Amino acid sequence: MINEKGTFVDGLQISDVDIQRFHLDYKSTIRFKMQVSDDAHHVGGLTLFGSGFGNYGQDIRTRISYSPS
């Protein structure tokens, strides 16, 4: 979650980057990027599974919601 207090994963704050930094409005485009850094412990690729493929029958889901401050 990214809000006015920072960036959080599973309720733990991982960054001070807040929602105002993104300058979003109702017509903004949001792109997601998934990558493995060149200096990562396991370099060589990133495998994404979805419904009907892999060990878990679930697609990748992203939820975007808006609530005024």
Side-chain angles (χ1 to χ4, degrees):
M1 173 173 30
I2 304 172
N3 61 27
E4 67 282 347
K5 296 178 182 176
T7 303
F8 301 81
V9 173
D10 294 333
L12 299 173
Q13 187 168 8
I14 62 166
S15 173
D16 289 330
V17 173
D18 63 11
I19 194 68
Q20 287 80 18
R21 172 105 40 113
F22 293 94
H23 306 288
L24 299 172
D25 66 17
Y26 73 95
K27 55 186 174 180
S28 296
T29 298
I30 300 173
R31 295 180 185 187
F32 295 92
K33 180 179 182 178
M34 298 180 198
Q35 74 177 48
V36 177
S37 299
D38 292 336
D39 60 351
H41 184 70
H42 296 286
V43 177
L46 176 70
T47 304
L48 301 175
F49 296 108
S51 181
F53 187 75
N55 295 334
Y56 305 96
Q58 177 179 327
D59 287 327
I60 296 170
R61 298 177 0 176
T62 302
R63 180 176 50 186
I64 299 173
S65 59
Y66 168 79
S67 58
S69 300

